[in-house]
Every structure is written in C-alpha cells, then in structure tokens.
C-alpha cells in the first residue's frame, strides 16, 4: 500500500524507533472498536511479553479494574459522572464491545497474569471544557485535512471508508506492517495539525507521567492508546520536538460530586453517536467481521444478507429470489470494481439501493429497504452487568425503594392503579414520578387524572404500567450524577433543567407541576423564583396564556399537591396577570392560533374572578386593556369579539353595546369571526340574552344567498363553542322570541334510531380508514 507521510525522509529514524518491539516501552496505536486492532493487539501482547499493559482509559477506574473481568454480557461501558459547584451534572462513556482493542488487551493480560492499568486523565478533570460524551470517539481523525486529501486520492467517501480501505479490509496484514502503516498515518495526521487542543496536550502529559511511573516498576511495558496519541507519547519519552508536547498545568477542578461505575450499553447507542462523539459505525457489521475472522469463512456479508431477508419479510416487504440474487451479484461486482478483497459495508448498501429500490429515494422519508440494511448493520446486542458488579449509591437506593413498595419491574408487566388522594398510594406515586423525572426506563403512566390538561377531577387517580426494560440498569446508573438518593437526584435534575437559557415560562410552569406531582416541594421556592424571572422576560402572549393556566391551577384548585403553601406562588400569579395584560394590549395581528388567544383571555378572566379580591388586582387596568383591544380597528374581528365578550362577562359591557358592535361587523367576511371570539369568552352569557339572538338573526336575514355562503364557514366555527344541548336551547329561545310555535327536533332519540346511526357511522369510518382519508381516535370516534 505504501507510506502516506508528507515527508518520509525526516521520519525514517523515528518510525524505526516507535515500531521497535524490543524497546522497553512499546506503543500500539489503535482505532477504538476496530476488529483488526483487536486481533493484532492480542498478537502484540503474546509476542512482546510485557510485564505491564497500560491502556488509554480513566485512571480513576483502576481501583475497580477487577470488576471488568466479571462475567458481563457485552457491550458495557465505564461511566464517569460529575456534579459541578454550579449544580450542573455531566457524564461520559468509555464503551467496550467484544472487538474493542482495549477489551481484548485487558482479557489477554489477565489470562497471562500481566499487570494492567488505565492511564488517561480522569474525565472529571476535563468535563467542564470537553463536550464529548463518547471518550473512544474518532474526533481528531474525522476532522483532518490530511484525511480529506487521502479520501480524494483513494476515492473514499469518508474517514470510515478510508479506514476500511487502508486497514480493516487488509486481512493478511502482519503486525509489523500494521504498526508501520498506522504509525505513519497517525504521525502525518498529527504533524499537519496547526493547533493541538489543550485538553489533548493535558491528557498526553498525564499519560506520559503514568508511563514514567510504570517504568520504575516494570522493565517491559506495552502502551495501548488511540493512534492520535501514540507518537506524541513516544516523542515525550524520547525528548523529540513534536506538536502538542509542551509542558502544561494539569487541571484540578472543584467538584461537588464525582463517581465512576460500569453500566450496560448497547449497539444501538454506540451506532447513534454523531458529530464529535462519532466512533466506529455499524457495530453489528463489525461484530460479524470479528466473529468471521475467528473462523475460516471470511464472507460475513452473506450472513448479514440472510438476516436482512428475514427482517424485510417480517416487515411484509415483498422481494423475489431474483432480487436477492441481483443484490448478491451486484455486491460482489462492486467489491471487485472497488478493489475490495471481500464484500464490505458500502458494497452491500449500494447493491440494495440499485437492486431493490425502484423509485426515487426521498431524503425526507424512511426507505424500508435501507432502514432494514442499517438495522442489520447496527445490530441488536445489549449489555448486562454481572450481579457482582458494585453499583452507585443512587442505584441501591432506587432498588430499595422499589422493593419496599413492591414496585420493582419484572419481565412480565404489571398494571398498578390507585387513588392518589390516599397517603400510601401518594407515596408510591411520588416515587414513580421521581423515576420518570430522571428518565428511568420501565415505568409508564398510562392513565389517570390529567393535572396538566386539568381534566377528570371527579376522583384523583393514576394508572401505571411497570415492566423490566433492558435500559433500566443503565438509566439508573447514569442518573447517579444527580445524587445518592432518588428524591435528591430528582430535585437536582429539575433545578438543572430550570436553568436552561432557552426555556419558556410555560415549560418552567410544567417543571413546577412535575415537581409537585413527585412530592418535591423542597425545591419549590427556587423554581418559583426562576418562573418569575421567565415571566418577566416572556414576550409571547400565546405561551404566557398556557403559563397562566398552570399557575391558576396551582394557586386556586390544588388541594392535593400542596403548592398553596408557597407565598411566592401568589406573587408569581400577580406578575403573570400583569404581564398577560401588557402582552395582550400589544398583541398585534395574529393570523393563526387565535384560539390560544381566546384561551389566554379566558384564563385572565378566571384569575380575575377567583383571585382579584385575595390578590388585590386592579379592575381599572384590566377593563382598560380589554376596552382598548375591543375597539382597536387594527385588530382582527375574532380577538376584538373575545375582548368584548370578556367585558360583557365583567359587566363592563351590555347587550345594547354589543348589538351596536354587531352593526360594525355585519359584513359577511367579519360577522362569523367576531361571533367566534364573542362566544369563546361569553358562551354562558349569550344564552340568556334573547335580544342579542334576535339581532344576530336579523343580521343573517339581511344577507342574500351569496353573502350567506361567504359567512357560513366562520358561523359554523363560532357555534362549535356550544354543546348540542346548548344549541337546542338557543334555537328554542330564538323561536320563542320570534313568536314561532314550531319547536326544534327533540334531542332524545329511541334506541333503534341510535343503533342505526351508529351503524352508519361505523361504515363511514371503515371507508375513510380504508382510503387513509382520516384517522380515528382510540375510543372509536373520528379524529378531527
């Protein structure tokens, strides 16, 4: 394949030195999660016979290193977590799968009785300045001009394709050939970098110091790190000038809490990492590559193709035998054309594209064939820790609480339903809501009183589905950064979430509601202070209207959550009311979502009705704002109608005044919109006013046929605010006012008529469902 250095002559002596397997310190460069590196690192250990193996990994896990060798099911990961003085929780992963070079090195070293240590700087020392949560990512190699040039030269799509071409597909590459080629590659990549990230320099200095410490104890050392670091460490050892080898001060951050533990991992999570967290993709594919290299059969694509067939058949995708033959033939031909010694990832993907996909691929939609290919390449392996593994305090606390309350998730799901007004049930509810806040898997609230939508308050109840999830253990472990006990961790999570700079006042109000549902009233004051800050900054009336709704509930209706105990809640209510008036007056034209404006005006009305005396709210300001909105010629008729209805409900407007307004909005294009707003805020009041009904009837009677058709859609919308019984009541009143003896059809119907109607309705649903015209609600009604 030849060397890939920009200047080989200047490097000749160095490459000979770093590849010397007889040196006291030997360097093995790896790409994390590479099957080739995994195979060759085993060979390297057997050949070099080191007394110690030093591996790029968190040094603070060394006291627990024996746990690595418990009987886990891979993949697993080392999870490092910190909690800063600023109440921010951070975590990072060091994943291991069966073909990870670090994992193979650990297992072989244990087998041979060789000392093994991690030597990387603890992630907790870098957490606040390094956003990568995947510590075995390929960040440096993926963002290199040198790699880009090689991709163009070798006609490779990206770094992953380049790596496979230069290394992974080279089945017969020897250990010495690999070392020379990869050291050359990494040196050239590093040599061309104009600036080395300070964090990388700190890590390398720390690892170098660990190597020096090991030299005092062992005569022969093998150092296994990412290839990006290998020559920099060698240069420090040999005192060679090289980019990024200057002395720097190592960090010693002040942390509120830190910890490290093993956690289950999965191929799905490993494959989903993108950007700066991206590593070796398609773990299912490379797992098969690893397995097949342990056997004489090297054509791993055939096993993957067989699995692809099973998945597509399961998804009801019809593919003929001829199609599969075409995929196989095309993949073989592409591999031959590209010089691949065997069918590889890109060959198989391109073969499926050309042989199975007949139509144009829409980038906005998922193609079932490609989705199945990526599912096969991703794999489905999920890790599981040995029962001997030590767990963080939070995990132990969660397990104890679940067992005490008989809520521990089992393989067979259980449904729990309880009255949350009862003390024991409320304690269980608090635990489950705390788990939900932390994102612990296996607990789903499937039904009950909806305190968010404020529905179903006849009785306060909840129904939960509890079942074991493969992510249960990992989600518990990964929440350990928030505290040592469940309640403490849930509170810390909510406090951290509340500091999001992009959070709206409505989202903050929901966080307060979540905290109340979880029984976390200890953080109430801090959360209300934060909500008050967001209300003062809120510039969107539509968002604030939803905030008003939640605050109104917490202040006026809560006999269960205990939120009335906070004096600050009343101050927040006052501030939200004043801010709502200010935003309503400056609302301007709202082309869409006017219904949310109606709701906002309704919430202001309800706050006034229920809290004005207790909170000493100003009636003059409220009425003045509504009057300005109702008479604003630049405002839309529907919002003016809603403001007029609010004034009517406050007894600051009368029927005669509204009838005068109807004259102004008598045009067909405006009448229905005005009535929509009016009915939204004064639905009950209009039903008692025969004079206004007569005035509306007169306005409609003045329309000709075409004008009536213009007004009809908005009129239909306006009258949707009334229930069928209320419409019947309006019709009866109108007929009485007009002295018409005819009465509307009765609302009650016989059982026979009801059955006929339901039968027709079911037939209609079947037709629209057949042609995909409209969905259907779960309760059988039409989904509007």
């Amino acid at each position: 394949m030849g060397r890939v250095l920009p200047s080989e002559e200047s490097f000749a002596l160095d490459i000979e030195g770093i590849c010397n397997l007889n040196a006291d310190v030997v360097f093995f460069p790896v790409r994390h999660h590479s099957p080739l590196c995994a195979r060759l690192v085993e060979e390297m250990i057997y050949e070099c016979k080191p007394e110690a193996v030093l591996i790029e990994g968190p040094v603070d896990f060394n006291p627990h290193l024996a746990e690595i060798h418990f009987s886990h099911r891979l993949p697993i990961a080392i999870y490092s977590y910190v909690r800063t003085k600023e109440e921010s929780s951070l975590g990072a992963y060091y994943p291991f799968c069966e073909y990870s070079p670090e994992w193979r090195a650990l297992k072989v070293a244990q087998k041979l009785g060789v000392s093994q240590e991690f030597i990387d700087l603890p992630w907790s020392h870098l957490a606040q300045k390094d956003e990568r949560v995947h510590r075995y990512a390929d960040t440096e190699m993926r963002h290199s001009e040198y790699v880009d040039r090689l991709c163009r030269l070798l006609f490779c799509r990206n770094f992953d394709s380049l790596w496979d071409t230069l290394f992974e597909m080279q089945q017969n590459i020897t250990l010495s050939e690999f070392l020379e080629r990869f050291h050359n590659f990494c040196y050239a990549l590093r040599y061309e970098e104009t600036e080395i990230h300070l964090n990388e320099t700190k890590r390398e200095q720390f690892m170098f110091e660990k190597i020096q410490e090991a030299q005092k104890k062992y005569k022969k050392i093998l150092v296994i790190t990412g290839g990006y670091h290998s020559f920099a460490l060698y240069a420090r050892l040999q005192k060679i000038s090289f980019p990024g080898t200057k002395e720097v001060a190592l960090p010693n951050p002040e942390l509120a809490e830190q910890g490290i533990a093993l956690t289950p991992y999965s191929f799905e999570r490993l494959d989903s990492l993108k950007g700066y967290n991206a590593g070796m993709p398609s773990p299912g594919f490379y797992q098969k590559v690893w397995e097949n290299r342990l056997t004489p059969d090297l054509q791993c694509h055939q096993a993957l193709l067989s699995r692809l067939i099973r998945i597509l058949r399961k998804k009801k995708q019809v593919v003929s035998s001829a199609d599969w033959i075409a995929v196989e033939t095309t993949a073989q031909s592409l591999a031959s054309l590209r010089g691949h010694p065997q069918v590889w990832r890109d060959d198989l993907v391109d073969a499926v594209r050309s042989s199975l996909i007949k139509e144009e691929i829409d980038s906005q939609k998922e193609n079932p064939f490609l989705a199945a290919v990526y599912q096969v390449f991703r794999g489905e392996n999920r890790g599981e820790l040995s029962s001997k593994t030590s767990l963080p305090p939070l995990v132990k606390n969660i397990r104890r609480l679940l067992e005490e309350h008989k809520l521990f998730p089992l393989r067979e799901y259980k449904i729990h339903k309880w009255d949350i007004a009862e003390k024991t049930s409320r304690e269980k509810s608090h635990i489950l809501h705390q788990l939900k806040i932390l994102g612990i898997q296996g607990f789903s609230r499937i039904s009950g009183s909806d305190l968010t939508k404020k529905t179903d308050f006849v009785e306060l109840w909840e129904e939960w589905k509890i079942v074991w999830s493969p992510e249960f253990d990992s989600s518990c472990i990964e929440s350990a950064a928030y505290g040592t006990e469940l309640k403490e961790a849930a509170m810390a999570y909510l406090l951290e979430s509340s500091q999001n700079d992009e959070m709206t006042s409505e989202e903050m109000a929901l966080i307060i509601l979540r905290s109340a549902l979880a029984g976390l009233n200890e953080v109430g004051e801090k959360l209300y202070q934060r909500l008050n800050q967001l209300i003062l900054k809120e510039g969107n009336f539509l968002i604030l209207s939803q905030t008003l709704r939640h605050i109104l509930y917490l202040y006026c209706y809560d006999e269960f959550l205990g939120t009335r105990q906070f004096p600050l809640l009343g101050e927040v209510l006052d501030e939200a009311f004043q801010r709502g008036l200010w935003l309503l007056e400056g609302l301007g034209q709202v082309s869409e979502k006017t219904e949310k404006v109606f709701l906002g005006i309704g919430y202001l009305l309800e706050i006034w009705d229920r809290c004005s005396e207790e909170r000493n709210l100003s009636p003059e300001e409220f009425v003045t704002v509504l009057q300005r909105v109702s008479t604003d010629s630049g405002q839309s008729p529907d919002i003016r109608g809603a403001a007029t209805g609010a004034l009517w409900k406050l007894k600051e407007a009368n029927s005669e005044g509204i009838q005068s307004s109807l004259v102004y909005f008598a045009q067909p294009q405006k009448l229905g919109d005005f009535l929509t707003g009016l009915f939204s805020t004064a639905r009950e009041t209009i039903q008692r006013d025969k004079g206004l009904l007569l005035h509306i009837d007169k306005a409609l009677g003045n329309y000709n046929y075409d004008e009536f058709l213009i007004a009809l859609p908005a009129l239909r919308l306006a009258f949707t605010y009334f229930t069928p019984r209320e419409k019947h009541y309006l019709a009866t009143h109108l007929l009485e006012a007009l002295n018409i003896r005819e009465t509307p059809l009765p609302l009650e119907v016989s059982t026979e008529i009801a059955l006929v109607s339901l039968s027709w309705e079911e037939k209609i649903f079947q037709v629209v469902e057949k042609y995909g015209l409209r969905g259907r609600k779960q309760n059988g009604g039409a989904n509007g």
Side-chain angles (χ1 to χ4, degrees):
M1 183 70 66
R3 291 183 176 178
V4 289
L5 266 177
S7 175
E8 294 186 17
E9 293 181 3
S10 64
F11 188 59
L13 293 175
D14 295 324
I15 192 67
E16 184 178 338
I18 199 171
C19 290
N20 180 10
L21 301 188
N22 296 316
D24 293 338
V25 180
V26 181
F27 292 88
F28 187 88
V30 302
R31 184 189 181 192
H32 307 294
H33 311 303
S34 160
L36 176 67
C37 292
R39 175 173 67 85
L40 292 177
V41 77
E42 290 184 338
E43 185 179 329
M44 182 83 155
I45 295 174
Y46 282 116
E47 185 168 331
C48 286
K49 297 181 173 60
E51 294 179 17
V53 175
L54 308 184
I55 300 171
E56 179 187 335
V59 71
D60 48 337
F61 191 75
N62 282 335
H64 314 284
L65 199 54
E67 295 186 15
I68 282 280
H69 301 293
F70 291 165
S71 54
H72 310 293
R73 184 175 70 217
L74 299 181
I76 61 172
I78 296 173
Y79 178 63
S80 179
Y81 55 91
V82 300
R83 185 157 185 79
T84 68
K85 293 289 187 180
E86 294 77 28
E87 301 294 319
S88 176
S89 298
L90 306 166
Y93 304 87
Y94 299 78
F96 300 101
C97 46
E98 193 175 352
Y99 55 85
S100 298
E102 298 83 1
W103 181 263
R104 305 314 308 177
L106 288 166
K107 303 310 285 186
V108 173
Q110 183 205 29
K111 181 179 179 181
L112 298 179
V114 174
S115 177
Q116 48 200 288
E117 293 179 25
F118 287 131
I119 59 170
D120 199 0
L121 185 68
W123 177 77
S124 58
H125 288 53
L126 302 170
Q128 293 169 278
K129 297 183 179 180
D130 193 335
E131 297 180 355
R132 289 178 298 174
V133 298
H134 179 202
R135 304 309 300 170
Y136 286 154
D138 299 320
T139 306
E140 298 83 11
M141 295 184 182
R142 291 181 179 278
H143 301 84
S144 164
E145 292 183 8
Y146 174 67
V147 168
D148 292 341
R149 286 206 312 275
L150 279 181
C151 287
R152 291 193 295 270
L153 181 66
L154 299 177
F155 302 101
C156 296
R157 296 175 178 175
N158 50 36
F159 169 66
D160 296 317
S161 178
L162 177 68
W163 170 264
D164 288 342
T165 300
L166 290 176
F167 299 100
E168 210 65 53
M169 284 188 281
Q170 306 305 314
Q171 302 291 329
N172 300 318
I173 192 171
T174 65
L175 177 59
S176 59
E177 288 172 339
F178 169 79
L179 290 174
E180 181 176 354
R181 184 179 299 173
F182 197 25
H183 277 311
N184 267 289
F185 176 87
C186 294
Y187 173 87
L189 183 149
R190 180 76 176 251
Y191 187 85
E192 290 200 4
E193 283 201 8
T194 56
E195 184 177 354
I196 308 300
H197 197 287
L198 181 60
N199 279 346
E200 301 307 316
T201 303
K202 291 176 180 178
R203 292 178 60 206
E204 288 166 357
Q205 181 171 319
F206 185 86
M207 287 191 278
F208 172 62
E209 291 175 2
K210 290 299 175 183
I211 293 170
Q212 287 183 311
E213 291 176 13
Q215 283 183 293
K216 298 174 183 177
K217 297 187 288 183
Y218 308 107
K219 293 181 180 179
K220 182 83 171 183
I221 299 170
L222 174 61
V223 180
I224 301 169
T225 66
Y228 182 82
H229 305 294
S230 295
F231 193 81
L233 294 171
Y234 174 77
R236 286 177 181 269
L237 197 65
Q238 300 298 324
K239 296 181 172 57
I240 300 172
S241 177
F242 192 68
T245 56
K246 64 181 180 180
E247 293 289 324
V248 293
L250 293 177
N252 188 21
E254 291 188 17
L255 301 170
E257 187 178 343
Q258 66 185 89
I260 195 164
L262 289 176
T263 184
Y265 215 64
S266 68
F267 276 0
E268 182 179 6
R269 296 179 70 179
L270 197 59
D271 191 51
S272 65
L273 298 168
K274 306 295 181 187
Y276 282 96
N277 289 304
M280 201 91 163
S282 307
F285 174 82
Y286 289 104
Q287 176 70 28
K288 184 57 66 175
V289 169
W290 169 257
E291 292 171 356
N292 280 23
R293 285 182 179 173
L294 302 178
T295 66
D297 178 18
L298 298 181
Q299 296 300 314
C300 69
H301 80 280
Q302 293 173 342
L304 294 170
L305 195 56
S306 297
R307 183 158 180 266
L308 177 61
I309 292 171
R310 292 195 297 272
I311 289 175
L312 286 174
R313 285 176 177 168
K314 189 175 181 180
K315 292 184 175 182
K316 310 293 185 187
Q317 295 295 325
V318 180
V319 183
S320 67
S321 299
D323 287 328
W324 290 120
I325 294 172
V327 172
E328 170 74 18
T329 304
T330 304
Q332 294 280 7
S333 300
L334 287 171
S336 177
L337 181 65
R338 293 165 174 169
H340 296 170
Q342 66 182 97
V343 173
W344 211 249
R345 276 191 323 139
D346 291 345
D347 304 325
L348 197 54
V349 172
D350 293 341
V352 169
R353 281 176 177 267
S354 61
S355 303
L356 298 185
I357 302 175
K358 313 300 183 184
E359 69 282 351
E360 182 180 358
I361 298 176
D362 187 345
S363 60
Q364 303 300 317
K365 296 181 180 179
E366 182 183 79
N367 184 281
F369 294 105
L370 290 180
V373 171
Y374 296 136
Q375 181 181 342
V376 169
F377 283 176
R378 181 171 59 247
E380 298 177 349
N381 294 26
R382 288 183 177 274
E384 185 175 348
L385 296 180
S386 164
S387 58
K388 299 178 183 178
T389 310
S390 60
L391 299 171
L394 174 65
V395 182
K396 296 177 182 177
N397 179 253
I398 289 174
R399 288 176 175 270
R400 180 181 61 78
L401 288 171
L402 292 176
E403 287 169 355
E404 283 180 3
H405 291 84
K406 299 181 180 180
L407 298 174
F408 202 87
L410 303 174
R411 299 276 177 177
E412 185 176 345
Y413 77 86
K414 284 190 175 182
I415 301 296
H416 296 263
K417 182 178 179 181
W418 46 59
D419 175 6
I420 50 179
E422 192 268 321
K423 183 179 178 182
T424 304
S425 297
R426 189 158 64 247
E427 289 176 0
K428 294 180 180 179
S429 174
H430 287 168
I431 291 171
L432 296 183
H433 278 287
Q434 289 164 17
L435 293 171
K436 194 174 180 183
I437 286 171
L438 292 174
I440 306 302
Q441 299 298 303
F443 303 87
S444 305
R445 186 181 184 277
I446 57 176
S447 189
S449 303
D450 193 334
L451 302 184
T452 301
K453 296 181 179 178
K454 319 296 183 286
T455 58
D456 193 11
F457 285 173
V458 176
E459 62 175 330
L460 292 171
W461 64 285
E462 284 184 334
E463 189 171 11
W464 290 79
K465 178 181 179 181
I466 300 177
V467 63
W468 180 85
S469 163
E471 303 293 339
F472 170 71
D473 288 328
S474 59
S475 58
C476 288
I477 293 169
E478 290 157 27
S479 296
Y482 292 99
T484 57
E485 295 188 356
L486 176 58
K487 189 173 184 178
E488 170 196 352
M491 288 191 293
Y493 181 91
L494 289 180
L495 287 173
E496 179 180 304
S497 301
S498 70
Q499 298 307 311
N500 186 339
D501 292 335
E502 299 180 359
M503 176 166 290
T504 66
S505 60
E506 179 190 3
E507 291 168 339
M508 189 62 232
L510 285 172
I511 283 182
I512 291 176
L513 181 57
R514 291 181 71 190
S515 73
L517 285 168
L520 305 177
N521 289 330
E522 292 87 340
V523 292
E525 289 292 336
K526 290 183 178 180
L527 296 180
Y528 284 122
Q529 289 171 4
R530 176 61 175 156
L531 176 57
N532 208 39
Q533 294 171 0
L534 292 173
I535 287 171
L536 289 171
K537 295 191 297 183
E538 187 60 71
N540 188 325
F541 180 76
L542 301 183
I543 292 176
L544 187 71
S545 67
Q546 297 304 307
T547 309
L548 289 168
R549 173 169 169 255
H550 299 308
I551 297 173
L552 178 66
Y553 168 76
L554 292 171
Y555 187 83
C556 295
Y557 298 102
D558 176 34
E559 298 177 359
F560 156 65
L561 298 177
T563 54
R564 285 293 301 267
Q565 65 179 288
F566 298 104
L568 194 57
L569 176 57
E571 297 175 22
V572 170
L573 181 76
D574 298 346
E575 194 61 59
F577 184 79
Q578 296 298 325
R579 187 69 176 176
L581 294 182
W582 187 79
L583 290 175
L584 177 61
E585 186 172 2
L587 185 63
Q589 288 279 356
V590 180
S591 57
E592 297 179 357
K593 302 180 180 179
T594 53
E595 186 174 348
K596 289 190 176 181
V597 178
F598 305 158
L599 290 172
I601 295 173
Y603 298 141
L604 289 171
L605 272 172
E606 193 168 357
I607 289 174
W608 170 261
D609 184 48
R610 297 184 179 276
C611 311
S612 57
E613 292 185 7
E614 184 177 349
R615 299 306 310 170
N616 197 26
L617 300 176
S618 168
E620 294 81 8
E621 186 177 1
F622 189 21
V623 170
T624 300
V625 169
L626 290 174
Q627 287 174 341
R628 287 173 181 165
V629 173
S630 67
T631 57
D632 182 2
S633 60
Q635 189 53 270
S636 60
D638 48 3
I639 294 177
R640 291 178 66 179
T644 301
L647 287 167
W648 194 10
K649 205 165 184 180
L650 291 171
K651 300 181 180 179
E652 295 293 334
N654 53 36
S655 180
E656 291 75 19
I658 294 175
Q659 291 175 28
S660 300
S661 298
L662 280 175
V663 175
Y664 179 81
F665 293 105
Q667 302 97 315
Q669 298 86 350
K670 294 182 178 181
L671 180 62
D673 292 337
F674 178 79
L675 292 178
T676 298
L678 182 71
F679 294 166
S680 72
T681 53
R683 192 184 95 237
E684 299 89 352
T685 311
I686 184 70
Q687 296 176 59
R688 299 190 294 269
D689 196 303
K690 293 183 180 180
L692 187 57
L693 285 175
L694 286 170
H695 205 82
I696 294 171
D697 181 68
K698 181 180 179 181
L700 294 175
N702 290 332
Y703 289 162
N704 60 33
Y705 181 77
D706 292 334
E707 289 173 333
F708 182 75
L709 290 180
I710 293 171
L712 185 58
L715 287 169
R716 292 183 64 182
L717 176 62
F719 280 91
T720 59
Y721 282 95
F722 299 103
T723 65
R725 187 169 295 279
E726 288 172 339
K727 291 175 188 176
H728 186 271
Y729 182 80
L730 287 172
T732 303
H733 269 53
L734 180 60
L735 291 173
E736 290 176 358
L738 295 172
N739 293 318
I740 298 176
R741 296 184 179 277
E742 183 179 347
T743 58
L745 291 173
L747 291 178
E748 293 77 12
V749 296
S750 66
T751 305
E752 292 76 10
I753 295 176
L755 288 173
V756 171
S757 300
L758 289 172
S759 175
W760 272 101
E761 185 182 64
E762 182 61 28
K763 290 178 181 178
I764 293 170
F765 285 149
Q766 290 173 358
V767 172
V768 297
E769 189 173 354
K770 176 180 178 181
Y771 293 101
L773 299 177
R774 257 178 124 182
R776 177 189 287 197
K777 289 184 178 179
Q778 291 182 349
N779 62 7
N783 184 6

